[in-house]
Amino acid sequence: MKKGGIPKFVIYALLIACCSIPLFFKIPIPNKPSDPSVDFYKTLSALKEGDVVLLGSDWTGSTRGESKGHMKAILRTLMRKNVKFVIWSSADPQSPRAALDVIAEVNAERVANKEEKFQRWTQWVSAGFYPNADVAINAVAQDVRTAFGSRRENDTNGVQQQIFKSPVMQKIKSVTDFDLVIDVTASKTTDFHVQFISAKNVPLMFAVTGVMVPETQVFYNSNQIKGFIGGLKGVFDMEQMMEKGINVKDANGKIAVASDKISGEIAPLPGVSVGQGTKYYPTLHVALLLMIIMIGIGNYEMISARKRQKGNG
Amino acid sequence: MNDTIWARNPQGDLKMFIGGGLILGIVLFFGVMQTPIQARRPLVWLVTFLSGGFMVAYTYWPKPINFDAKTELPKNGVETVGSFLQQSFGVVSSFVQIIAAFLLGLGIFSLLRIHLMNIARQKKDWVFSVILLVSMLSMIIFGYWDFMIRQGEKAVDFDDPQFWRMPNMVRDFLFDGLLQQMDAAMFSIIAFFILSAAYRAFRARSVEATILLGTALLVILSLMGVVAGAWDDKVAALAGDGKTGSADFIMNFKITEVAGWLKNTFQTPAITGIKFGIGLGTISMALRIWLGLEKGGKA
């Protein structure tokens, strides 16, 4: 088939222009969070002070547009609720560093906001990276004390100790002792988590990239996971729910973020909640709109060409 | 006390375990090297069969619940085997992870061999080989240097960049400044291909393609808050606030409802079916490898 009329460089230039321009303006966008996002936030909100979360970080710079936003939103929520967490990775050797950098960023944000820094060892620990995701996740599901047993961290006195001596891990004897397992991922670790960890009846949730949403929806529909946030929309959903709560009326009696998944309301989470989701969501809008326009033009050209051929024939 | 050898803490007798492991590794290495070529394939198959057999046994053999091997004795043969499998699993998993980690070493060795040869023989584009090796060595050196500084000075808060020294800054520049940015840049290039492909290839050439196009457009529109909000408000206004059957029917045409219906009714069963097929294929492939039926598995 003959190639379309618009040259590639024009399409590319249009994309660059359309994606860059919204970054310079603050554009408020109405939003209705998706059901899986609401369930995700509802489960996070139900955590109590002192609960312990196993937080998988299985993403790298390539998907940071989505995954970093997920990670930040989750960390902000956990830290504000004083929920302890254990970070670990099994998908990519870069992942632990990426996660540690985000924790440092959120901590810096807390310090700037006159909140207390979330302390390593007493409030969170890192169990590091484990090669071979399926075996690693299975090992954690079967016997977390053996799987993480050899990992060490500096305690508050600077002495290296096994992470199980940390206050974070005090009550952890098996994976079922975690109050929640979350995996921020851009890879197949979702399948292994469902296969091995969900089978132990531990509450499980995912933060996945946009392209992974359809397959993650399967686990959500079958109730194997409590909820999930997907892609940039997921980041925006989280930031909106943290900032404005769910079903909370403002001074004019209007509800900013409404959901019929919640019978009552969930109050906003005080502190800095808005971030890259709110910043990039207008860009996503424009990019999707541009895609629809390009599909329309392409189809119009095809129909015109067919009509011309018929006319000539 | 009913500890298997696997349940012992290697850190208690670290030197003995390292020495023993080293000697055993050397013996195994030379043993395999001396094995006739005809016997190597059956040997590989035997190891594969035993490893696979362990995982099958672990999955299907009944295991005692709430059994403490340190204070209890198994009641019968079934419990003895179940307890052994339970205690051994962590160590077998560690074996697999250690072997996987060795692949990293093998990869580094292979990279060094190929690119050092390229440089030595000044093959075409040998300059890129120099860049690759320099990048790899810089990341290794500054990565470990940064790690050693962080471990050595425990009182310093290295989350705060004002306490960083040269190696910490270089590590940050290499990892966050270069690697992460290049990763993101490579991935974002996909957007250009997607847009170009949407224009050139996403066309309603047949009935099936038109259905696909229509559903894709609906799902895309449902992701756009502005469109979804306006559409849903319009539908709600059309339905009015009456609790009649027709109002309920009209509410089904909210774009979020339509997109949800498409996802739950068509997408989820389709993906489940595909995954089921992949699962069956994986089982048959695993059985072929495990039983040595796959070419190359057994002589």
Side-chain angles (χ1 to χ4, degrees), chain A residues 39-312:
Chain A
D39 279 333
F40 186 94
Y41 188 62
K42 189 172 82 176
T43 310
L44 266 186
S45 300
L47 289 171
K48 300 180 296 293
E49 185 173 340
D51 282 349
V52 186
V53 171
L54 179 62
L55 182 56
S57 168
D58 294 312
W59 59 281
T60 61
S62 46
T63 59
R64 69 174 177 192
E66 301 159 297
S67 306
K68 190 177 177 182
H70 293 151
M71 194 77 183
K72 258 192 171 174
I74 293 166
L75 287 172
R76 281 168 172 159
T77 312
L78 295 179
M79 288 181 184
R80 274 177 226 163
K81 292 181 76 68
N82 263 323
V83 172
K84 293 171 180 166
F85 59 88
V86 184
I87 286 266
W88 80 298
S89 306
S90 60
D92 193 295
Q94 288 183 48
S95 307
R97 187 73 252 169
L100 294 180
D101 286 350
V102 177
I103 295 172
E105 273 181 43
V106 177
N107 259 332
E109 190 180 275
R110 285 173 66 85
V111 171
N113 208 27
K114 307 257 184 295
E115 289 172 283
E116 270 187 36
K117 197 176 162 185
F118 220 65
Q119 295 295 338
R120 194 164 178 166
W121 182 257
T122 50
Q123 291 172 301
W124 68 276
V125 286
S126 169
F129 171 69
Y130 294 78
N132 216 335
D134 53 343
V135 175
I137 294 166
N138 194 5
V140 167
Q142 304 305 333
D143 185 356
V144 70
R145 289 194 78 90
T146 306
F148 290 168
S150 60
R151 299 293 157 131
R152 285 157 186 268
E153 290 252 296
N154 290 339
D155 66 10
T156 41
N157 299 319
V159 180
Q160 280 222 331
Q161 303 262 17
Q162 284 186 334
I163 57 168
F164 277 97
K165 291 187 176 160
S166 142
V168 180
M169 303 293 266
Q170 285 298 302
K171 69 168 190 179
I172 307 299
K173 302 277 184 286
S174 81
V175 75
T176 52
D177 294 326
F178 286 107
D179 298 284
L180 181 64
V181 176
I182 305 175
D183 191 26
V184 181
T185 181
S187 71
K188 292 293 281 179
T189 52
T190 49
D191 285 12
F192 306 133
H193 272 85
V194 169
Q195 202 173 337
F196 302 119
I197 289 180
S198 175
K200 298 272 175 189
N201 288 325
V202 186
L204 175 65
M205 302 203 295
F206 295 131
V208 296
T209 57
V211 289
M212 292 170 71
V213 168
E215 56 188 294
T216 312
Q217 184 84 28
V218 176
F219 301 133
Y220 174 73
N221 286 357
S222 59
N223 287 326
Q224 285 169 297
I225 57 173
K226 292 271 180 193
F228 73 91
I229 44 174
L232 192 57
K233 167 91 165 79
V235 186
F236 187 58
D237 283 350
M238 271 293 284
E239 289 177 1
Q240 291 285 298
M241 290 186 285
M242 289 162 71
E243 177 82 359
K244 295 169 180 166
I246 305 175
N247 294 339
V248 177
K249 285 183 182 165
D250 62 13
N252 302 321
K254 281 186 80 176
I255 296 174
V257 181
S259 172
D260 44 20
K261 293 281 290 178
I262 307 273
S263 53
E265 61 174 47
I266 294 178
L269 204 60
V272 181
S273 299
V274 169
Q276 72 181 62
T278 309
K279 193 174 172 189
Y280 298 163
Y281 196 52
T283 296
L284 179 72
H285 260 72
V286 177
L288 290 175
L289 186 67
L290 184 63
M291 189 155 85
I292 292 171
I293 292 170
M294 295 313 290
I295 291 171
I297 295 174
N299 279 280
Y300 173 76
E301 280 179 359
M302 184 191 71
I303 293 163
S304 306
R306 276 185 187 170
K307 276 186 181 169
R308 273 200 305 274
Q309 273 176 358
K310 273 185 185 172
N312 292 338

